[in-house]
Amino acid sequence: MNKVLTAIDNSGSFRVYLTISTDLVEEARQIHQTTPLGTAALGRVLTGAGLMGLLLKNDRDKLTVIFKGDGPAKQILATANAHGEVKGYIANPDVDLPLRPDGKLDVGGSLGIGELTVIKDLGLKEPFIGTIALASGEIAEDLTAYYYISEQQNSAISLGVKVETDYTVGAAGGMIIQLLPDFKDEAVDALESMLASLAPITTLIDEVNAEGTVLSEEGKVKLLADKIFAGMPEEFGIRALDMREIKWECDCSEERLEKALMTIGVQDLTEIIEEDGQAEMVCQFCLKKYLFDKEHLERILESIK
Ligand code: ZN
C-alpha cells in the first residue's frame, strides 16, 4: 500500500499528485523477476499509470497504458483504476543494456522508437483511445506529451526508480502536476524554475527515508512534498487535499481465463482437448497458473459450439 498525497496550490493554479511507490514497484519486481533495467522501466510505467488512475473521475473508470517500441523491452503495459489498483507487465523482463553515459539505466533505449497508447474505459459505449509517438521512451516525458497532445492538458510528470546492487527497489516515486483552467502565468514560471533545479525524485525519497525514519508512510509523502515545494513563493505554496493509495492488485480469475479460452475457437479448442487433454493458462500480470482439465475444456467447447 503506497500513499498518494493530493494537493492544490494557494492560488488555485495547479493540482499535485505525489507518491512514494517503492512497495508497488518491489512487488512487481518480485513477481516478474525483472533485471534492473526492466524494474526501472516497468516501475515507472506502473507508478505513472497508478497516478493517472487516480485522475479518473468516476468510480468504475479504468485505464490502460501501452508502451511499444522497437527496442529490446518490446512492450510495457499497465492498467489502473480510480481506486488506485495497478497491475502490469513487461514483454521482456530480461531486458539489459549498458548504462547511459550519465550512469542511469537506459529506459529510453530499452523501448527505442515506438508509440504510447492510452485506453480509457469511462463506462461509455466506446473507450477513449489516444496514441502518440514516443517522445523519449523515458516514460514521464511520454506521459506528459500524451496529456498535452491527446487531452490538451498541461502537466508536468516526474517518475523515478532506483535499483540497489542486490536488484531490490531502493526507492520509487512519482508526481503529476496538472495546471488548472484558471492558472496564473506566474505559477507556471514558478513551477518551471522549481522543476528545473529539482533533484531526481529518488534522491529526495532517499533523503526522506534517512531523515524520517520514525514517520508513517503518510508522513514521508508529506515530507517529500515539503522538500519539493519548499522554495515556491507563498502564493503558490501547496496545501493537502487528500491522502489516497495506490497498490499492486491483480483481479484475474478462472472465469476471466475461461473467457480467453472461448476466444480461441472451436477448432483449436477441439485440438487442445484431443492432443493435450488439458490446458494451462497463465495470467500475464501476476503469473498465476490456472489448469483446465479435459472435462472443463469440454464444457467450454460445448458453450461456444
Ligand atoms: Zn493475475
Side-chain angles (χ1 to χ4, degrees), residues 1 33 36 51 75 90 114 125 137 149 155 174 199 223-224 265 278 284 299:
M1 201 81 80
Q33 293 291 306
L51 291 176
Q75 179 178 308
I90 177 168
K125 240 186 211 164
I149 296 166
S155 55
L223 181 55
L224 179 61
Q278 61 176 33
Q284 58 193 345
R299 275 209 311 275

Side-chain angles (χ1 to χ4, degrees), residues 17-154:
Y17 296 79
L18 176 68
T19 190
I20 299 174
S21 58
T22 312
D23 296 347
L24 166 67
V25 177
E26 173 61 15
E27 191 160 353
R29 181 194 74 83
Q30 287 181 16
I31 291 168
H32 289 281
Q33 293 291 306
T34 37
T35 56
L37 179 55
T39 304
L42 178 59
R44 288 186 202 172
V45 174
L46 287 169
T47 302
L51 291 176
M52 289 168 76
L54 297 184
L55 298 177
L56 295 167
K57 294 202 172 64
N58 297 308
D59 227 28
R60 297 167 85 171
D61 293 352
K62 51 188 176 192
L63 62 81
T64 302
V65 300
I66 307 161
F67 286 84
K68 210 170 184 168
D70 64 0
K74 293 181 183 139
Q75 179 178 308
I76 306 168
L77 182 149
T79 80
N81 62 27
H83 302 283
E85 293 168 345
V86 194
K87 61 180 179 177
Y89 64 84
I90 177 168
N92 177 15
D94 301 321
V95 62
D96 199 12
L97 286 175
L99 293 177
R100 302 191 324 189
D102 63 3
K104 291 191 172 154
L105 292 161
D106 191 3
V107 173
S110 80
L111 276 164
I113 294 166
E115 286 178 346
L116 161 63
T117 299
V118 177
I119 304 167
K120 285 188 171 179
D121 180 354
L122 309 174
L124 306 167
K125 240 186 211 164
E126 299 288 335
F128 172 83
I129 302 175
T131 299
I132 63 159
L134 290 179
S136 65
E138 294 287 331
I139 313 302
E141 279 171 51
D142 306 297
L143 293 174
T144 304
Y146 160 78
Y147 274 116
Y148 186 70
I149 296 166
S150 290
E151 301 198 15
Q152 292 77 50
Q153 167 70 56
N154 277 301

Side-chain angles (χ1 to χ4, degrees), residues 87 250-253 283-288 290:
K87 61 180 179 177
C250 190
D251 54 355
C252 64
S253 64
C283 170
Q284 58 193 345
F285 293 101
C286 71
L287 306 186
K288 188 175 168 190
Y290 292 84

Side-chain angles (χ1 to χ4, degrees), residues 264-275 301 305:
I264 70 169
V266 172
Q267 197 185 334
D268 286 349
L269 197 53
T270 308
E271 244 175 67
I272 291 172
I273 294 170
E274 281 168 5
E275 284 171 21
L301 182 61
K305 260 182 179 169

Side-chain angles (χ1 to χ4, degrees), residues 238-301:
I238 59 165
R239 63 184 165 85
L241 293 174
D242 204 359
M243 192 59 83
R244 299 178 68 183
E245 284 164 353
I246 52 172
K247 65 171 177 178
W248 176 275
E249 182 80 45
C250 190
D251 54 355
C252 64
S253 64
E254 197 173 78
E255 282 151 302
R256 203 164 272 224
L257 289 159
E258 220 169 54
K259 282 198 186 114
L261 272 171
M262 283 177 182
T263 62
I264 70 169
V266 172
Q267 197 185 334
D268 286 349
L269 197 53
T270 308
E271 244 175 67
I272 291 172
I273 294 170
E274 281 168 5
E275 284 171 21
D276 307 322
Q278 61 176 33
E280 189 184 79
M281 300 283 285
V282 181
C283 170
Q284 58 193 345
F285 293 101
C286 71
L287 306 186
K288 188 175 168 190
K289 288 176 183 158
Y290 292 84
L291 190 68
F292 292 85
D293 61 15
K294 195 171 183 181
E295 198 199 331
H296 197 158
L297 291 175
E298 282 167 345
R299 275 209 311 275
I300 296 169
L301 182 61

